[in-house]
Amino acid sequence: MANTDDAYQQLTDLLDAAGLAEHALFLNWGYQPADGPALSPGDTQRQLVMQLIGDQPVNGRHILDVGCGRGGSAALLVEKWRPLSVTGVDLSSSNINFCRQRHRQPRLRFQLADACQLPQADNSVDMVLNIESSGAYADLAAFFRQVWRVLKPGGDFFYSDIFARQSLADIESTLTQLGFSKVSGWSIRQQVMAARRSAGDKVIERLQQASQTLATPANVDELRNYFALPGTPIYQALARGDADYVCYHWRKPADTNTSDTLPETLLAALRHRSQRLDQVVNGADNPVFPLGKPATDAALNLFALPYAGGGASVYRDWGNGDGWPADWRFCALQPAGRENRIDDAPQRRMADLVAELAQQIEPYSHQPWALLGCSLGCKVAFELARHFSRLNRPPRLLFLMACPAPDIALAQRVSECSDADFVAEVRRLGGTPDSILLDQEMMQTVGKALRADCALAEHYQVASSVSVAVPAVLVLAEDDALVPVASMLRWQQHLSGHTTIKRVNGGHFFLRQQRATLQRWLVDALRQPPAPPAVTPTRWLPFGLPQADGGMPVFCFHHAGGNAASWREWQEPARQLGLQLCPVELPGRASRFSEAARTEVAALVAELNAVLSPFCQQPYALLGHSLGALMAFELAQQLPRETLQGVFVSGRRPPHHPTPQPLRHLMDDRELAQELQGLDGTPPDVLQHQELLALFLPALRADFTLTERYAWRQDDRALGLPLQAFCGDSDAEVSVTTMSEWLRYGDERSKLHCYPGGHFYLQNHRNAMLQAMAGWLNLR
């Protein structure tokens, strides 16, 4: 049923006609416990609310139920607990009118309001409840901001709904970046499905009979899908696991602020949340794949992107013959605004287009997949490769044809010019038949997508340092008047994986004449075994690689906001003790300033593991301070254990200690700079120089993101690392008692060394620390 006020009025009329209005107080799908007796439909709906709130305090609190529907949840709160007040808000006037007539308990009121523009005052509510309502919101990010605004510091947000599985990361990332702290999140998919099975079709039959008395009888299939009964597309999506029903408990911390901005890619993903759910529910008729759909059991899925103004049909003859394997899928993507999607508004921003297409690819990105693009499609493919590389699921190959490198700006701007000038420019570019160019009505239809693509290309450009570590094939034509050879070869600086250059004839639109050759090259490239990721140790070890005769290598990791040079002065004293200190430079700082800083510990550790493993076949040790201690600890579990002689950690909470509030990576630049004033370790000339500070803060924020989002997934086995811990006796960041808890991860000889000083005590105790390390390593 459509989620509009008219639809809710129709539902109200239908329930009245069926004599069910007084009983149908909840609109949620219910919760049937797996190990309990079968509950009635109404009791399962009550149980879902109870499960969401759990044992959290309700008495004496002001509560806001957003999307209150027919008031069942709000009434239950007053019935079971003693809140100071419960306010239910809903955009449907029929729902609010019903609630005001049906629920007249003290402390309970109902209000007509938009969830994205709540009328409540700032910091006025102790608890916000939102159940199965957010899928209808036009701007989900705006709703989350409203929840943050109205909640008091320390207030709770209880949130449950059905989601496409791949949307969950976007939801959690948004709420985290806005400043919320995740208390818990859990799936109740099986219990919701059990409740839907127990509901049966009796209510539907009764509603259908009653609808015959109304001017517009109800559609039975629509009713069954609205109630998610077995056999409906939405129930099947839950059964397959493509969709999930999740409960969340988030909290607004008592001492942190919300983020003013969210990444555009994240906002775009939220805007397409409903579309993503529609895809997993009604995937069989997905218009984005008009020629051939991807498959989860395919040996490889190849996703192809058309040139500007083109549609999926440019690849109609691809994916068959010419040695194309039978267990591979060739999937031409259809952007909005063309061919079978002519009525859909085309995207004019790269972030929106990438977010939309990434949703289509995501379910298949856990298995071998690749990207092909022609002209503008190359840049879209490149951005998709960047997106999935950040998720550690990069494509096997980029096959790029007839497109200038992404750092080259377009010289001409034609997207906003007059119709006559636009047609003239399209004619000059070639590739569009005169029969279309001369047909004004046709150009108004086809030109919509072409103009959007032009706008997208005109506003897209990346820095010359941006790259992806994905193997690639670059196909260029020497006689291409639109894309000079040099601008095509410049792609190489954006591709750090193995890159092959192929040359053809046929001008800019060689795609049409050279299909057989191009597909043969594509198949040959994809049949090559995946190349191991390129490892360039000198980038990570800027002061030199370990030498065979230089003493035992000790790989050193710097503190948050530091760099490899933090350990420079340690190298010579260490050498005199028989140790070879090898400072590690993380991306985004000092000699690697132009690279993107990492914000996920697992991804960074995987890269470091590939870099350092070859040097760890002989005895070695790991040393880290603050952030570096975390890196040393995680790497100790990945690198060869049999040759690991020592793990030296300093000035960092042990892994099982979560980061206390406030989270520094969520602070704005002004707040973060003020925070640094009270901490040691940042040179005064940086703090006092605004331009230096602006360069310094992004890397520091990335480091805080690494540490503050880190969660130790402890198992039952004892790690038994050869571990020594070091600390300052007056460290305001990490107390001696807290630092001593590191010893639980060490073997029987683990020890805590304490020195006078604060968080950066080690600056004054370098020689003593090195002697303690050398003595320990000699024992082993």
Side-chain angles (χ1 to χ4, degrees):
M1 298 181 71
N3 199 5
T4 65
D5 195 37
D6 287 345
Y8 280 117
Q9 183 60 59
Q10 292 171 14
L11 179 61
T12 298
D13 293 343
L14 186 57
L15 291 170
D16 284 337
L20 297 174
E22 287 298 304
H23 305 284
L25 304 182
F26 296 87
L27 296 179
N28 72 60
W29 290 344
Y31 178 101
Q32 170 61 56
D35 55 355
L39 302 177
S40 69
D43 285 340
T44 66
Q45 292 174 315
R46 292 166 62 91
Q47 189 65 31
L48 190 146
V49 181
M50 304 284 287
Q51 287 292 324
L52 178 59
I53 297 175
D55 59 358
Q56 296 300 311
V58 175
N59 293 344
R61 307 186 83 186
H62 294 285
I63 302 174
L64 178 65
D65 181 9
V66 182
C68 65
R70 294 172 65 81
S73 299
L76 177 63
L77 292 171
V78 174
E79 170 192 328
K80 184 161 183 67
W81 292 283
R82 294 191 63 80
L84 289 176
S85 69
V86 178
T87 301
V89 300
D90 201 286
L91 193 58
S92 166
S93 59
S94 60
N95 281 344
I96 294 300
N97 290 335
F98 172 82
C99 289
R100 288 171 175 169
Q101 294 298 318
R102 176 62 174 79
H103 308 292
R104 297 179 179 271
Q105 298 96 328
R107 306 187 304 279
L108 183 57
R109 65 189 293 263
F110 295 93
Q111 190 172 8
L112 187 68
D114 185 345
C116 300
Q117 295 178 321
L118 293 173
Q120 279 67 32
D122 295 357
N123 305 314
S124 61
V125 176
D126 297 295
M127 179 190 296
V128 172
L129 191 69
N130 185 252
I131 300 177
E132 285 181 39
S133 172
S134 66
Y137 300 165
D139 189 343
L140 196 56
F143 165 60
F144 291 151
R145 290 185 187 279
Q146 289 291 299
V147 174
W148 176 277
R149 180 184 64 78
V150 303
L151 270 178
K152 297 177 182 178
D156 296 299
F157 176 30
F158 294 97
Y159 178 41
S160 73
D161 212 334
I162 182 173
F163 304 90
R165 188 173 293 278
Q166 60 267 38
S167 290
L168 294 173
D170 297 329
I171 297 292
E172 295 193 14
S173 179
T174 301
L175 288 164
T176 300
Q177 292 192 48
L178 285 175
F180 286 98
S181 174
K182 181 180 173 183
V183 180
S184 58
W186 66 102
S187 171
I188 59 170
R189 179 171 66 94
Q190 295 295 342
Q191 293 84 353
V192 169
M193 290 170 59
R196 294 298 81 206
R197 289 193 298 271
S198 68
D201 280 325
K202 290 184 178 179
V203 171
I204 299 299
E205 294 172 0
R206 186 167 174 177
L207 291 174
Q208 184 187 16
Q209 293 173 358
S211 76
Q212 303 305 314
T213 65
L214 302 177
T216 305
N219 182 300
V220 176
D221 290 337
E222 191 174 343
L223 279 173
R224 296 190 78 256
N225 201 50
Y226 178 78
F227 289 106
L229 296 180
T232 60
I234 202 158
Y235 181 92
Q236 297 291 48
L238 286 168
R240 292 193 306 269
D242 293 338
D244 202 356
Y245 196 112
V246 178
C247 292
Y248 282 117
H249 177 191
W250 297 86
R251 180 164 291 148
K252 178 179 178 178
D255 51 0
T256 190
N257 295 320
T258 187
S259 170
D260 291 331
T261 60
L262 291 171
E264 181 57 36
T265 52
L266 191 56
L267 291 173
L270 292 181
R271 287 195 290 270
H272 292 96
R273 178 207 153 184
S274 296
Q275 178 184 343
R276 182 181 285 178
L277 182 59
D278 288 342
Q279 175 198 343
V280 300
V281 171
N282 303 304
D285 300 316
N286 191 343
V288 179
F289 298 110
L291 303 181
K293 300 177 179 63
T296 55
D297 58 351
L300 180 138
N301 288 299
L302 186 285
F303 298 95
L305 294 141
Y307 45 77
S313 63
V314 303
Y315 297 112
R316 185 176 300 281
D317 297 325
W318 290 64
N320 54 68
D322 301 311
W324 185 264
D327 57 352
W328 292 7
R329 296 289 184 272
F330 190 100
C331 313
L333 287 155
Q334 186 72 284
R338 59 214 81 197
E339 297 177 353
N340 63 304
R341 299 187 65 195
I342 193 70
D343 293 328
D344 296 341
Q347 303 287 6
R348 298 175 66 90
R349 295 164 53 90
M350 181 67 79
D352 289 337
L353 179 58
V354 168
E356 176 188 349
L357 298 179
Q359 292 170 13
Q360 306 294 331
I361 295 172
E362 200 279 340
Y364 312 97
S365 63
H366 299 273
Q367 60 198 91
W369 68 288
L371 285 163
L372 175 148
C374 182
S375 193
L376 176 62
C378 296
K379 294 179 178 179
V380 181
F382 177 71
E383 285 300 314
L384 285 166
R386 290 181 66 196
H387 171 86
F388 284 102
S389 293
R390 288 191 288 267
L391 301 177
N392 294 318
R393 300 199 297 272
R396 280 268 306 272
L397 180 75
L398 282 173
F399 196 89
L400 308 176
M401 301 176 285
C403 181
D407 65 308
I408 300 175
L410 293 188
Q412 290 184 300
R413 305 280 169 144
V414 301
S415 61
E416 301 299 333
C417 66
S418 68
D419 289 345
D421 290 342
F422 184 73
V423 169
E425 180 61 20
V426 172
R427 178 177 285 108
R428 185 190 68 81
L429 294 174
T432 306
D434 283 341
S435 58
I436 293 179
L437 293 172
L438 297 174
D439 189 323
Q440 184 175 2
E441 183 177 350
M442 183 69 74
M443 273 302 294
Q444 287 179 345
T445 302
V446 176
K448 177 180 63 173
L450 186 53
R451 277 188 185 270
D453 285 350
C454 289
L456 188 148
E458 290 163 4
H459 295 95
Y460 171 77
Q461 185 182 14
V462 302
S464 58
S465 60
V466 174
S467 66
V468 292
V470 176
V473 175
L474 298 178
V475 185
L476 58 91
E478 299 280 1
D479 55 346
D480 187 342
L482 299 180
V483 182
V485 170
S487 67
M488 187 74 192
L489 293 177
R490 199 151 127 186
W491 271 98
Q492 294 173 92
Q493 72 184 33
H494 300 282
L495 304 165
S496 57
H498 178 72
T499 303
T500 302
I501 310 296
K502 297 286 189 180
R503 300 172 187 263
V504 295
N505 294 318
H508 186 63
F509 293 97
F510 61 77
L511 180 72
R512 299 170 181 173
Q513 296 90 7
Q514 303 283 357
R515 183 194 60 80
T517 299
L518 295 170
Q519 182 163 289
R520 186 171 65 253
W521 288 344
L522 174 63
V523 171
D524 289 345
L526 287 169
R527 278 180 167 157
Q528 295 296 319
V535 176
T536 51
T538 54
R539 289 190 300 135
W540 297 84
L541 300 166
F543 294 106
L545 305 182
Q547 301 300 309
D549 58 353
M552 183 186 297
V554 180
F555 299 102
C556 311
F557 302 92
H558 55 73
H559 60 276
N563 56 57
S566 304
W567 301 104
R568 188 199 304 271
E569 303 301 324
W570 292 59
Q571 289 184 287
E572 179 56 28
R575 186 190 64 77
Q576 296 175 11
L577 295 170
L579 303 178
Q580 186 177 183
L581 255 64
C582 304
V584 175
E585 191 85 278
L586 300 183
R589 62 228 56 209
S591 61
R592 304 181 66 185
F593 180 78
S594 62
E595 300 179 44
R598 309 296 191 263
T599 57
E600 295 292 340
V601 170
L604 185 53
V605 168
E607 292 182 82
L608 282 164
N609 185 31
V611 171
L612 300 182
S613 287
F615 305 110
C616 298
Q617 307 309 311
Q618 302 300 321
Y620 71 99
L622 302 167
L623 165 64
H625 176 68
S626 191
L627 163 66
L630 176 60
M631 303 311 303
F633 172 74
E634 283 291 322
L635 276 165
Q637 301 165 66
Q638 303 293 326
L639 293 169
R641 177 67 70 88
E642 60 275 10
T643 52
L644 176 60
Q645 304 301 300
V647 181
F648 304 103
V649 296
S650 166
R652 157 77 198 182
R653 290 175 301 280
H656 58 281
H657 270 240
T659 302
Q661 303 290 342
L663 299 181
R664 290 166 175 157
H665 79 276
L666 297 176
M667 295 179 177
D668 60 30
D669 287 354
R670 178 186 56 80
E671 294 170 321
L672 191 54
Q674 290 177 347
E675 182 79 2
L676 294 180
Q677 298 285 347
L679 301 175
D680 295 328
T682 305
D685 58 338
V686 171
L687 291 173
Q688 296 167 10
H689 195 298
Q690 289 300 316
E691 292 184 3
L692 289 177
L693 192 62
L695 294 173
F696 173 69
L697 288 181
L700 179 64
R701 180 173 282 105
D703 286 348
F704 283 145
T705 303
L706 277 170
T707 60
E708 293 173 349
R709 291 171 57 183
Y710 172 80
W712 165 236
R713 299 183 180 278
Q714 188 171 6
D715 54 26
D716 295 331
R717 64 186 175 87
L719 292 178
L721 296 171
L723 185 144
Q724 299 279 283
F726 298 83
C727 67
D729 61 4
S730 56
D731 187 343
E733 289 281 296
V734 187
S735 69
V736 175
T737 300
T738 300
M739 198 69 202
S740 68
E741 295 183 41
W742 270 102
L743 303 186
R744 67 190 283 183
Y745 301 104
D747 60 19
E748 69 282 357
R749 286 179 289 181
S750 296
K751 183 179 178 181
L752 175 67
H753 305 263
C754 189
Y755 300 93
H759 190 60
F760 288 95
Y761 71 93
L762 68 176
Q763 294 172 347
N764 299 319
H765 301 284
R766 178 183 63 209
N767 292 338
M769 287 182 63
L770 287 172
Q771 289 170 4
M773 291 166 56
W776 163 263
L777 294 172
N778 287 335
L779 287 175
R780 301 188 67 80

